[in-house]
């Protein structure tokens, strides 16, 4: 536990400390790097400047710290009872982000995004939500600064997860089933298919379309981009202070990766210490076997969305038209990986591992019964990787210190546990042929 | 925040400090006080002795403290942002019990109950659950000591709240829809009505029937009894230490009351300080207008269950056959009140207030949007009473220190918020005629 007064007051930008910066995003028409002016219709200038800053640290505004203090510093727990159940000599620590208003790490960036938009005179933010975590976080954040919040929830999720919609509404947000009749993109799809199940790509198109039409409305994104990962480094900065109090340093850090914001937020401050020679942890990204962008994707310029409307980003990708199996960790079902994490992986500074979901839920049940917290489907991957490492330590006798981020609780995802406990959960087809077609369809960018 | 090392190591028994002890429970056949031997088929001797102890303190076993430390000490938060939104000079503090594995205060007693049963060689615990909080807590607790846990969930709740069932199963418990075909009580009801919606009274009968038949099986109750309230005093003992660190003392303490365990747990340690002349807080119980046992019930010997199978207890009651409206705070729908709290109310040591549920949910939404926590339906009553008090302070200019227990989060109760937000929630019929018939049916006990 840290005291409130010990909460870090700066976010960390890893880019200046890397041996080389990540390749810039490209405009798909000109194939030239995207400039701040290209992003201005969607984001306020403070966030655009954070996206491209070369400063190592960015001060957290006092008004953002005030809101962070509702749940931060978040606790760092040692999993004593899990260690005992495993019979491992390893020490397992987890940084628990489920204490936030949305129940995940997402408010760490939703709050500053809402703050900078309010400061710029914006009246409303639009966004998409799939699993529902991001929409919940942004609705809460908007309520703190008097902004309206309009969320397009993927149709299939809207139908299956009414609790997520209600939580967004409880925090004051408005939720639309996507595709909706409020946008051209939505109406075009509804015309031929009135109960269209939607997709994250479609929901993004709707939220962006509404934001682009009105100077008082902007759009907010919950992962992938540099400024999002920047805001999430509060997780790792706190964990560093907490380990310093314990007089320990992690030997292994594992985190789950979808778009990469939770993983980057936890690990970048430790990566700084590693690059400075102050500690030497192995840093490992854990992705779902069904959507293994780091372990089975290619490193190439590709679109961030399915429809091909975003800038081209150099990243590990399975192809922008790859549709992952409908696994339970909805937050990890993304064809690409944050360009910054992709670049760091290419530099050889981190490892990656892909795990099947039944192993993940088996691990999560063991965790819940020993530690008393039911993890969200996404961090079940991190828990499973921790348990693999801890069992390897049992084998070797090593007393490694393992750190992970339990990035959210699973209270609104219990249907996934029901699927596992009743034997209805299956693993995914992960042969490389599964990804061949979508990888072949990645656009060719001149060198 | 308290450090783990500052967690209290004793539970507090208020009875020896009262001017007189509460009247004993009576055997309904003999009308004589119930003895330990009458309770032995249902409870282990350690818990029976705690039920009748005259010691002021009971040591918390080390094995129970180990499990408590998974989430205890629980945080005491100041509601800065709610105060600001209300424009009140009052200081509002809330002790948050939603950080526990079950998301409520219930594990505070589930854990020691499971521990003492395991110590006595019991293999399995049975219980009933209505809203689902208690079943979740007991399943988690049983997993800590290698006990099996079998839960009869009220049929209507089983059908409407699948997430509660799944959470119990995730912690390793077995859940039956009640009435079930596993007991004589259940089969008798199912014969005439295959999809019988059940009731808490029926579920109790089933759990008790199974426990009474096998010496390796015992029954566990989540509220009302003295030993349950004893275990919950860890809440108030921690809060006392937390206020001492702040150099403050509460002027008003409010807590919601159903069976009374959350309220007793929070307030008894403060009541001790009040009776010793060390502080002078007003202590106020808040009950639902639909089930106002303290404010509209009578103080009389009555049965604890609907079927009239339990000992007779002297308590504030609306009559054991009173069926409250199906309000959203399922945990407060109990016809009686803990005999110990009833006695303390009769002694004039506490006040009581009944509130309608729409006021409670309106308060809860204001709380969620400012403080970032969605309360369970039960503590919405405490929040609403806090806000009434804080607005009275705004009127009078008094800078009162207000304390409440936010005894659980509402992540699995979001359907209630949907009912409120969509305008489908209504208030209850609370005219005294509503309770006249069931009060008239309370059994007559010779003086």
């Amino acid at each position: 536990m840290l005291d409130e007064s010990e909460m870090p007051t700066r976010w960390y930008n890893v880019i200046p400390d890397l041996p080389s910066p990540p390749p810039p995003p490209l405009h798909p028409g000109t194939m030239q790097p995207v400039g701040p002016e290209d992003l201005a219709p969607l984001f306020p200038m403070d966030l655009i400047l954070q996206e491209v800053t070369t400063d190592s640290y960015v001060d957290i505004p006092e008004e953002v710290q005030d809101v962070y203090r509702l749940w931060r510093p978040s606790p760092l727990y040692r999993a004593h009872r899990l260690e005992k159940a495993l019979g491992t000599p390893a020490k397992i620590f987890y940084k628990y982000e489920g204490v936030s208003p949305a129940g995940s790490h997402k408010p760490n960036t939703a709050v500053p995004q809402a703050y900078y938009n309010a400061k710029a005179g914006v009246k409303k933010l639009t966004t998409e939500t799939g699993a529902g975590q991001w929409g919940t976080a942004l609705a809460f954040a908007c309520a703190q600064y008097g902004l309206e919040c309009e969320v397009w929830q993927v149709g299939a999720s809207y139908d299956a997860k009414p609790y997520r919609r209600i939580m967004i509404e409880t925090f004051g947000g408005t939720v639309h089933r996507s595709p909706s009749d409020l946008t051209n993109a939505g109406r075009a799809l509804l015309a031929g298919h009135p109960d269209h199940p939607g997709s994250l790509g479609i929901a993004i198109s709707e939220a962006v379309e509404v934001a682009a039409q009105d100077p008082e409305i902007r759009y907010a994104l919950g992962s992938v981009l540099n400024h999002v990962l920047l805001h999430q480094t509060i997780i790792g900065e706190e964990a560093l202070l907490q380990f310093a109090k314990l007089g320990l340093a992690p030997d292994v850090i594992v985190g789950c990766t979808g778009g990469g914001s939770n993983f980057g937020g936890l690990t970048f401050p430790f990566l700084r210490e590693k690059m400075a020679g102050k500690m030497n942890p192995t840093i490992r990204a854990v992705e779902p076997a069904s959507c293994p962008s780091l372990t089975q994707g290619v490193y190439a310029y590709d679109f961030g969305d399915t429809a091909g409307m975003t800038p081209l980003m150099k990243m590990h990708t399975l192809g922008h038209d790859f549709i992952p199996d409908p696994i339970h960790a909805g937050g990890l079902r993304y064809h690409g990986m944050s360009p910054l994490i992709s670049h760091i992986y290419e530099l050889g500074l981190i490892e990656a591992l892909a795990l099947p979901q039944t192993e993940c839920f088996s691990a999560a049940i063991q965790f819940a019964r020993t530690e008393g917290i039911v993890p969200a489907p996404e961090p079940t991957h991190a828990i499973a990787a921790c348990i693999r490492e801890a069992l390897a330590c049992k084998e070797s006798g090593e007393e490694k210190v393992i750190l992970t981020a339990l990035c959210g609780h699973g209270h609104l995802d219990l249907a996934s546990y029901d699927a596992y406990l009743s034997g209805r959960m299956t693993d995914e087809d992960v042969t490389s042929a599964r990804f061949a077609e979508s990888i072949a369809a990645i656009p060719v960018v001149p060198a």
Side-chain angles (χ1 to χ4, degrees), chain A residues 120-160:
Chain A
V122 172
K123 302 294 182 213
K124 181 194 284 189
L125 287 180
T126 65
T127 200
E128 73 289 338
T129 201
Q133 289 277 13
W134 171 241
T136 309
L138 195 67
F140 165 76
C142 284
Q144 303 318 301
Y145 304 107
L147 288 174
E148 289 177 67
C149 180
E150 211 165 337
V151 180
W152 275 262
Q153 184 174 7
V154 174
S157 163
Y158 183 96
D159 298 338

Side-chain angles (χ1 to χ4, degrees), chain A residues 87-106:
Chain A
T88 179
K91 296 181 176 71
I92 302 173
F93 290 88
Y94 57 100
K95 178 79 170 158
Y96 184 41
E97 292 293 309
V99 293
S100 85
S104 77
H105 65 295
K106 293 289 185 188

Side-chain angles (χ1 to χ4, degrees), chain A residues 38 64 114 191 212 274 384 403 425:
Chain A
D38 294 315
V64 171
K274 178 175 175 154
L403 166 64
M425 185 183 286

Side-chain angles (χ1 to χ4, degrees), chain A residues 170-388:
Chain A
T170 298
F171 284 139
T174 304
V175 185
H176 307 295
R177 188 187 185 283
S178 173
S180 74
D181 61 4
L182 300 167
T183 65
N184 292 328
R187 280 187 293 267
L189 290 160
L190 284 178
H193 192 162
D195 55 354
H196 195 295
S199 74
L200 210 51
I202 296 164
I204 294 175
S205 300
E206 294 202 273
V208 166
E209 182 182 322
V210 170
Q213 285 167 1
D214 186 332
E216 295 197 332
I217 306 180
R218 288 288 181 279
Y219 168 74
L221 191 67
S223 190
V224 176
L225 299 179
N226 294 345
H227 70 273
V228 179
L229 274 61
L230 174 80
H231 300 152
Q232 293 292 356
T233 59
I234 184 90
I235 304 172
E237 293 289 6
E238 283 181 6
L240 264 178
L241 294 175
Q242 288 165 320
F243 270 104
K245 284 203 174 194
L246 294 166
L248 287 174
D251 299 303
V252 182
I253 307 176
V254 294
C256 59
T257 47
S261 73
N262 157 66
F263 178 79
L266 172 68
T267 63
F268 287 174
F270 287 94
L271 185 56
R272 174 187 67 220
E273 303 301 301
K274 178 175 175 154
M275 291 188 290
K278 295 182 189 163
M279 54 175 72
N280 192 27
T282 298
I283 301 177
R284 188 175 297 140
V286 190
E287 53 189 15
S290 63
C291 199
S293 52
L294 287 172
T295 55
Q296 294 208 44
V298 295
Y299 185 53
Y301 270 105
D302 197 5
F303 294 106
D305 67 331
T306 308
M309 292 168 65
T310 69
L312 288 161
M313 296 183 288
K314 188 87 181 267
M315 60 182 176
H316 286 82
T317 175
L318 296 160
H320 63 279
D321 59 3
F322 175 67
I323 306 288
D325 286 344
I327 58 162
H328 292 273
L332 307 184
R333 289 183 70 229
Y334 185 60
H335 68 275
M337 176 51 58
S338 147
L340 183 49
I341 288 175
S342 296
H343 177 62
I344 289 170
Y345 184 59
E346 282 299 304
L347 290 171
L349 294 168
I350 60 172
E351 301 177 357
L353 171 71
L355 293 180
Q357 66 180 352
T358 56
E359 177 178 342
C360 298
F361 276 86
S362 168
I365 296 230
Q366 187 170 26
F367 186 87
R369 291 183 187 172
T370 51
E371 293 296 314
I373 299 174
V374 179
E378 293 77 14
T380 64
H381 293 74
I383 301 294
C386 266
I387 289 180
R388 277 196 183 193

